[in-house]
Short mmCIF file of all heavy atoms in Angstrom, two decimals:
data_model
loop_
_atom_site.label_atom_id
_atom_site.label_comp_id
_atom_site.label_asym_id
_atom_site.label_seq_id
_atom_site.Cartn_x
_atom_site.Cartn_y
_atom_site.Cartn_z
N ARG A 226 -9.87 -10.45 3.47
CA ARG A 226 -9.36 -11.75 3.66
C ARG A 226 -10.22 -12.86 3.09
O ARG A 226 -9.87 -13.98 3.05
CB ARG A 226 -9.21 -12.08 5.08
CG ARG A 226 -8.08 -11.07 5.80
CD ARG A 226 -7.76 -11.52 7.15
NE ARG A 226 -6.63 -10.69 7.75
CZ ARG A 226 -5.39 -11.03 7.48
NH1 ARG A 226 -5.03 -11.97 6.81
NH2 ARG A 226 -4.44 -10.25 7.98
N GLU A 268 -10.84 -14.36 -9.80
CA GLU A 268 -10.63 -15.39 -8.89
C GLU A 268 -10.22 -14.96 -7.49
O GLU A 268 -10.34 -15.71 -6.50
CB GLU A 268 -9.65 -16.46 -9.37
CG GLU A 268 -8.28 -15.91 -9.64
CD GLU A 268 -7.32 -16.95 -10.28
OE1 GLU A 268 -7.02 -17.84 -9.51
OE2 GLU A 268 -6.88 -16.77 -11.36
N LEU A 299 3.63 11.13 9.05
CA LEU A 299 4.58 11.43 8.00
C LEU A 299 5.48 10.33 7.74
O LEU A 299 5.74 9.91 6.57
CB LEU A 299 5.36 12.75 8.19
CG LEU A 299 4.44 14.06 8.00
CD1 LEU A 299 5.29 15.18 8.50
CD2 LEU A 299 4.22 14.16 6.42
N ARG A 315 11.21 -0.76 -10.45
CA ARG A 315 11.38 -0.14 -11.91
C ARG A 315 10.01 0.07 -12.37
O ARG A 315 8.97 -0.53 -11.99
CB ARG A 315 12.08 -1.15 -12.82
CG ARG A 315 13.42 -1.62 -12.37
CD ARG A 315 13.87 -2.80 -13.13
NE ARG A 315 13.01 -3.91 -13.02
CZ ARG A 315 13.17 -5.16 -13.52
NH1 ARG A 315 14.16 -5.42 -14.36
NH2 ARG A 315 12.20 -6.07 -13.27
N ASP A 316 9.93 1.23 -13.24
CA ASP A 316 8.62 1.54 -13.78
C ASP A 316 7.96 0.53 -14.57
O ASP A 316 6.67 0.21 -14.35
CB ASP A 316 8.82 2.75 -14.79
CG ASP A 316 9.15 4.08 -14.17
OD1 ASP A 316 9.02 4.15 -12.87
OD2 ASP A 316 9.53 4.96 -14.85
N ALA A 368 8.44 14.68 5.27
CA ALA A 368 8.59 13.37 5.86
C ALA A 368 10.02 12.98 6.01
O ALA A 368 10.45 12.41 7.14
CB ALA A 368 7.86 12.35 5.01
N GLU A 380 20.71 8.32 17.67
CA GLU A 380 22.03 7.83 17.37
C GLU A 380 22.75 7.45 18.72
O GLU A 380 22.73 8.09 19.74
CB GLU A 380 22.85 8.88 16.58
CG GLU A 380 22.46 8.93 15.10
CD GLU A 380 23.17 10.03 14.42
OE1 GLU A 380 23.91 10.80 15.10
OE2 GLU A 380 23.12 10.12 13.20
N THR A 381 23.48 6.30 18.53
CA THR A 381 24.33 5.91 19.56
C THR A 381 25.70 5.68 18.97
O THR A 381 25.92 5.76 17.72
CB THR A 381 23.89 4.55 20.26
OG1 THR A 381 23.74 3.52 19.22
CG2 THR A 381 22.55 4.74 20.82
N ARG A 385 23.47 1.07 16.78
CA ARG A 385 22.60 -0.06 16.81
C ARG A 385 21.16 0.33 17.12
O ARG A 385 20.15 -0.21 16.71
CB ARG A 385 23.10 -1.11 17.72
CG ARG A 385 24.26 -1.93 17.13
CD ARG A 385 24.76 -2.91 18.10
NE ARG A 385 25.19 -2.42 19.28
CZ ARG A 385 25.69 -3.08 20.35
NH1 ARG A 385 25.67 -4.37 20.35
NH2 ARG A 385 26.13 -2.45 21.39
N ARG A 389 17.90 -0.41 14.96
CA ARG A 389 16.78 -1.24 15.48
C ARG A 389 15.37 -0.50 15.44
O ARG A 389 14.44 -1.04 15.03
CB ARG A 389 17.04 -1.60 16.88
CG ARG A 389 18.05 -2.81 16.97
CD ARG A 389 17.83 -3.50 18.42
NE ARG A 389 18.08 -2.54 19.46
CZ ARG A 389 19.29 -2.18 20.04
NH1 ARG A 389 20.39 -2.67 19.59
NH2 ARG A 389 19.20 -1.38 21.07
N THR A 391 14.47 2.08 13.30
CA THR A 391 14.08 2.20 11.98
C THR A 391 13.49 0.87 11.42
O THR A 391 12.47 0.87 10.76
CB THR A 391 15.08 2.78 11.00
OG1 THR A 391 16.31 2.02 11.16
CG2 THR A 391 15.47 4.27 11.47
N ALA A 394 10.13 0.34 12.88
CA ALA A 394 8.98 1.15 12.16
C ALA A 394 8.57 0.55 10.80
O ALA A 394 7.42 0.55 10.47
CB ALA A 394 9.66 2.56 11.86
N LEU A 399 4.90 -3.04 7.61
CA LEU A 399 4.57 -4.44 6.81
C LEU A 399 3.57 -5.22 7.50
O LEU A 399 2.63 -5.84 6.91
CB LEU A 399 5.82 -5.14 6.64
CG LEU A 399 6.86 -4.74 5.55
CD1 LEU A 399 8.23 -5.26 5.87
CD2 LEU A 399 6.36 -4.82 4.28
N GLU A 404 -2.22 -7.34 7.92
CA GLU A 404 -3.53 -7.25 8.56
C GLU A 404 -4.55 -7.04 7.54
O GLU A 404 -5.71 -7.50 7.60
CB GLU A 404 -3.64 -6.35 9.68
CG GLU A 404 -2.85 -6.67 10.84
CD GLU A 404 -2.88 -5.61 11.85
OE1 GLU A 404 -3.66 -4.66 11.82
OE2 GLU A 404 -1.98 -5.52 12.79
N GLN A 420 5.56 -11.59 1.54
CA GLN A 420 5.20 -11.77 0.14
C GLN A 420 4.09 -11.03 -0.18
O GLN A 420 2.98 -11.08 0.36
CB GLN A 420 4.80 -13.32 0.00
CG GLN A 420 4.44 -13.72 -1.41
CD GLN A 420 5.61 -13.83 -2.42
OE1 GLN A 420 6.54 -14.43 -2.11
NE2 GLN A 420 5.50 -13.09 -3.50
N GLN A 439 4.60 9.28 -7.93
CA GLN A 439 5.29 9.71 -9.13
C GLN A 439 6.56 10.54 -8.71
O GLN A 439 7.69 10.46 -9.36
CB GLN A 439 4.38 10.51 -10.01
CG GLN A 439 3.38 9.60 -10.78
CD GLN A 439 2.35 10.50 -11.54
OE1 GLN A 439 2.49 11.65 -11.56
NE2 GLN A 439 1.36 9.71 -12.11
N ARG A 443 10.54 9.75 -9.34
CA ARG A 443 11.63 10.68 -9.97
C ARG A 443 12.87 10.71 -9.02
O ARG A 443 13.84 10.71 -9.47
CB ARG A 443 10.99 12.13 -9.97
CG ARG A 443 9.89 12.27 -11.08
CD ARG A 443 9.66 13.69 -11.44
NE ARG A 443 9.07 14.52 -10.29
CZ ARG A 443 7.85 14.56 -9.99
NH1 ARG A 443 7.05 13.91 -10.74
NH2 ARG A 443 7.46 15.34 -8.95
#
Side-chain angles (χ1 to χ4, degrees):
R226 294 190 175 278
E268 63 180 296
L299 282 169
R315 302 164 302 182
D316 289 350
E380 281 178 352
T381 61
R385 286 180 298 177
R389 284 199 304 271
T391 55
L399 285 165
E404 292 173 17
Q420 178 74 52
Q439 290 172 4
R443 290 197 298 274

